[in-house]
Structures are given as structure tokens and as C-alpha cells.
Amino acid sequence: MTAGPSVTHIEPRVPPPAFGRRDPDARGYFGPYGGRFVPETLVAPVAALEDAYLEARRDPAFTASLTAALRDYVGRPTPLYEAGRLGETFGLRVFLKREDLAHTGAHKINNALGQALLAKRMGKSRIVAETGAGQHGVATATACAWLGLACVVYMGVDDMARQALNVVRMRLLGAEVRAVDAGSRTLKDAINEAMRDWVATVADTHYLLGSVLGPHPYPLMVREFQSVIGEEARAQVVAVTGGLPAAVVASVGGGSNALGLFDAFVADADVRLVGVEAGGEAIVPGRHAARMAGGHVGVLHGTRTLLLQDDHGNVLPTHSVSAGLDYPAIGPEHAWLAEQGRAEYVHVGDAEALEAFQQLGRLEGLLPALESAHAVAALRALSGSLSQGAAVIVGLSGRGDKDVASVERLLAATAGSPGAEDQNVAHR
Amino acid sequence: MSRIADTFARLRAEGRTGLVTYVTAGDPDAARSAVVLQALDRGGADVLEVGVPFSDPLADGPVIQRASERALRQGATLDSTLGLIEGLRASLRAPIVLFTYFNPVFRMGTAAFIDRARAAGVDGVLVLDLPIEESAAWRSALDAGGLDTILLVSPTTSDARLREAGRLGRGFLYGISRLGVTGVRDAVAADAAPLAERMRRLTPLPVALGFGLSRPEHVAAVGRVADAAVVGSAIVAKIAEWADDADLGARIERHVRWLRGVEAA
């Protein structure tokens, strides 16, 4: 095992996106999950998007322009960093895939640039997007500035409060941020509002969806634009360790960073794929976002997947300390990977995520996004089922600057309440 | 012949423009929702669209979103909506179209839903986010259960798809007269007449146009190109405005007569 910090450096070559590796069926289904459940007005635009995407991914010029942008503008490849001090605490070799070092500070830019280039190719002049943690909104605003596209980002008012830094960033980048004061005032409601905008503006507008959600082709397209994460990580881990890792771990909101990282390893049956959902305060309705723990098959935002809902088919409110994981449905391909037993899903609560956030700062000098902190927090439980010294890749999907103010507030509140060591008590 | 087909045949025979009204079930509460539905029927609505409240009505504008929220706060569900219809059916003249997002009926289960809806006296079902491509099994089940599948078409619907909708739809075809979500607008959209013309030319079904209509002149204008006009948000807004009035029913009834052009404002 490596004792001290080490930075993996291989030739700065950006692998092309893994197009066409695991396509859904012609109607956009991964097994029984996926599809295209949209109002009639969106049927034609979504079909046109599918055609344009399938055509673009066959065009070497499109791939070349995307790859060049990922290298020269985003700064890819991102490092695979062996977190030696963190690894020692678990008896593992822990490798962090450093998406926090990508331009704008999270993996979201990979998809935003891909879709913005596609929108430009389709002749669209305006982009709408939703955002939860604000990272997708920032990435979209960035891509729009870079390509000269008008940009409107919808964001729940609760998320605007807890991710205020990103609201400022989006506005500085020239985007219009529209507050959504409906429903649970979080990511779900921002998607509703972005879709309402798009249905009225389809002629000149592209909806730049930020995760592996929504009607076909979004789950496929977003995963393929994010597949660069896993392509790089696989080559990097092989170069350093001479083999494949025992496990690959990533947090799952909609699930784009996880699928982007998993994608290159799905065919490697011996590599465990571990998705980490938000356990929130407790696994009781309304207090978490662990779809695999409390979800039932349903249809939301254009796709059939596991959904947190009540007995009447209404979507339940969710809770997570992390705005990016605070969403009631999981990407349909995750539901399919789980059903096939190819990927396993665990959940991590608010308190454990906060602890991991601080742990990574103290041991490695890294402040992760609260989303990514969930993946780091899962290592403790996972280490019990891995052999000593096993190699594990953890998706460090984003940096934590946006969360610093929230974390400070939460820690102050926790310190001031009795029974602070018990998350179920501390947050009530 | 279904009650819906009968209605449109009669409208054509009488040379009259039909009025299809939309309200959200359980808004502002179960008792007043029943009062409203009876008032719409008495006022002469030709088809009653009854909306199932849903947590995420992404095809609806703010007026109907707020109606859904009010109804959900009162505990309204798909099940209670069907109960409301069942209790009123015998007293209502107009056919009833259930207007819903897919998840509530999916959660109940297609077979259970169809049994309940038929027993309640529902005549047709319109599912906003279930396009033709996803609904083959659903449409056969509705056909077998004797319920009309009401399909939506839009200005973005191609001619080929429109023909398909004309073949697969039952009762009438609902044309979305403008791109966007539901809501009150000042005038009939420019897209409305060309869409109605295509619907008439390419399909055998009666044509209803909606989205954005709020006044008798809108209804009359739509009547020149279609069999019926759908008014939703404008009525839902009135329900919110008059919710606490003792004469809510009478006011809604007069409002419907005003929309039909048979009573002054």
C-alpha cells in the first residue's frame, strides 16, 4: 500500500465517449425501465432530439469537437488520486476520481458541453435547464456562455437558499435563474418548471437535462456524455495497480456521475458497482431520498423507474442534506442494473455524510461536495466486505465550496443539541 | 354508441358548438367540488372533464397547479375522485371524461382502475403523459372495459401521427390549440384553426379544441372550426374566487351559460 499521497499522472489523452456500448431498446427501455412518457406536444421534439443525437454520435467531427473541449476547456483527463491517509483508515487502497477538478468544479460539465454542442448543431438558440445543487446550472450556464446560447435555469427556492454561491455564479455567467416556489421547492419542482417552459418554446429551445432521467434519449445520452469519467478511471487504475478495482463507488441522485463512472466497468463482472443514495434523517416517508429502499415502480418526468410515492401515486417529498441527491426518482438504468444484480445500492444518512465531509478535509485536504461525501461515507460499511488492501475507486463528483456555509450551520446546530452523536435525534 | 359519441352526434345534428368544461376534483374540497360539477351540468356543459389531483402536474399552468394543491391538501386522491363521480353520476346529464396524469392510474393498476372507473360511471379517460407509443396495452384494456380513450394532439403532431390518433382515439380528439401549459389567455391562438383543419381532414373523430380559452367569443370562434371548445383554467380560477360564496353553485352555473353565449355576464 502506498503510504503517502501520490498523484497518478498518465498521458493527457481524453478517451472518446463510449457511444453505443449499451443502448436501450428502440423505445428507450432498459429492461422494464425507461420509455418516453411525455405530453403530446413534446413527442415530436423528443423524437427529433433522439434522431439528432444518434446522428451526432456517429459523426467523428462531433466526437472530435467534444473531446477537444473536454481536454482544452474542461481540463480533462481529471486525475485518479490515491487518497493514502483516507485509505489507511479503512485498510483499503482508495482512489478518488477527481471530477471536482473539472472546470466548474463538478462532473456536470461533461454532459452540459455535450448537450450544448448538440443543441447548437440542431440550430437551437436557447437552453433551459433545471438544477438542484446548482452544479448542473453552473455547468449549463458555462456551456451556454462558451457557445453563445441564451440560458434560463430553474431552481427551487429552498435550493437557492442552501446553494446561494452557485446562484451568484450562474448569474455572473450570464444565465437567468428563475426561482421555483411550488411543491417541495427543490429539484423535482425545478424539472417540472423547466418542462413547462420547454413545452411552450420547443421551436428554438433545447432542454438540457442534467441527469440520467427523463424521456428517452436523455438517460442514454447523459450517461454516454458522462462515460468519459469511467473510461479515464479504468485506464488510470489499471496503469497504477496493474488490474481492476474490487469496487467502484459513487453517489446517486438521478445518477449521472455514478453511471458515467460505472459504465466502463459494467462488463467486468468481478468489479462491484456500488451506488450510494441519500438516507437523509431516517428511512421513513418524506425524510430520505433512497429510492431503492422505499420506492415503487412509477412514472415521473417522462420515465418509468423506481419512485418514492404514496399509495395513491402522488410523489412523496424527499429530504437530504445534499440538494443534488434530494430527488424522488432514480435513473431508469440504475433500476435495471439493480434488478439484474449488476449494481448494488446502499444509503448513507445526513450525519454520516457530514462526518465524511469533515474527514476528507482533515485527512486529505479535500472539501467534497455533500453529494460526493455520501460516496466517501459508504466506505466504512463497504470495507467490511472487502479484503485488506483492496483497490476501490470513489467518484469525487464535485467540490464542496458551495456547501461550506450549509455545513457550518449544520455543525453548529448539531453541536448545540443533546444526543448529537445520534443522527436520528440530532436532526429532530 | 358511447355517451360521448352520442353527445357529439347530437351537437352536429343541432349545429351547435359544444362546451367541454374542466375542473379539478376535490377543489376546493369534496363537498364544493360536487356542487361545482352539478352546476356545470345544469349550466349546460356538454362534456365534463374531471381532473385527478396530482403532486406534479407538469403540463399545467399555475391556476390548475394551485387547484391540485388545494385538493391534495384536502386529501383528494384518484380513489376519492372516482368516489365523487360515482356519487354524482345518476344526477348528471353530461358524459364524464377523467383527465389524469399516468402515475396515479399506474399505481392503482390498470385492471383495478378500469373496474372502478366503469363502476363509477366514467365515460372516457384522457392521460396527459401517456402518448400513443406507450399506451397500446392501456388502450386495449380501456376498449375492453367500454371506456373511451381520449387522445390529445398538438400543433407539433405530424400528419401521420394525427391519422394514427384518429384511428386509435375514441369519442373525440382533443386538440391543444397552443404550445405550452394550460392557462387563461387573451385570444384564441393562431395555431388553433390550422390544427382543427388538419384534425378534420385527417381523422373521422369529432374535434374539441382547448388550452387558453376563457370567454364566450373564444368558444364561438372555436365553434367555426371545431365541434367543441374546452374551457378549464378560466373556470378553475372562478372556483377559487367564489369558493367561499354561499351561491358558488349558482354563480358557476351562470358562468357556464355565459360561456355558451346564452346569458349576459
Side-chain angles (χ1 to χ4, degrees), chain A residues 286-312:
Chain A
R287 302 318 303 160
H288 70 100
R291 292 67 46 108
M292 296 289 183
H296 298 271
V297 179
V299 172
L300 181 69
H301 295 151
T303 193
R304 171 149 66 190
T305 188
L306 286 171
L307 175 64
L308 293 169
Q309 56 179 314
D310 67 17
D311 293 343
H312 305 286

Side-chain angles (χ1 to χ4, degrees), chain A residues 136-177:
Chain A
H136 175 58
V138 167
T140 301
T142 299
C144 289
W146 181 63
L147 286 172
L149 297 163
C151 182
V152 172
V153 179
Y154 291 92
M155 190 170 189
V157 291
D158 286 6
D159 288 342
M160 287 177 75
R162 59 176 163 169
Q163 310 277 229
L165 174 66
N166 278 341
V167 176
V168 177
R169 291 170 77 197
M170 285 184 269
R171 288 179 172 152
L172 288 171
L173 290 161
E176 181 188 345
V177 181

Side-chain angles (χ1 to χ4, degrees), chain A residues 312-314, chain B residues 22-27 33 49-58 60 64-65 67-69 71-72 75-85 96-106 108 113 117 122 124-129 138:
Chain A
H312 305 286
N314 285 306
Chain B
Y22 169 95
V23 294
T24 301
D27 170 37
S33 191
E49 280 185 359
V50 180
V52 177
F54 181 52
S55 55
D56 292 85
L58 59 81
D60 284 302
I64 293 177
Q65 288 175 47
S68 232
E69 287 172 10
L72 289 170
T77 61
L78 172 58
D79 198 62
S80 75
T81 300
L82 293 170
L84 175 73
I85 293 169
I96 292 176
V97 172
L98 203 69
F99 193 93
T100 185
Y101 289 84
F102 188 47
N103 201 54
V105 294
F106 181 76
M108 183 179 275
F113 166 75
V122 169
V125 185
L126 189 161
V127 186
L128 267 156
D129 52 353
W138 167 257

Side-chain angles (χ1 to χ4, degrees), chain A residues 78-132:
Chain A
T78 60
L80 186 73
Y81 161 72
E82 179 161 12
R85 301 217 314 140
L86 179 71
E88 260 175 44
T89 63
F90 301 118
L92 299 169
R93 291 192 73 180
V94 174
F95 294 89
L96 302 177
K97 181 56 176 164
R98 295 289 307 276
E99 293 302 295
D100 61 317
L101 290 177
H103 178 43
T104 70
H107 72 291
K108 293 291 188 186
I109 190 73
N110 304 322
N111 167 58
L113 284 183
Q115 283 195 49
L117 282 168
L118 181 64
K120 189 95 176 172
R121 188 183 169 96
M122 292 175 75
K124 305 289 185 184
S125 59
R126 178 176 178 268
I127 298 290
V128 291
E130 81 295 339
T131 198

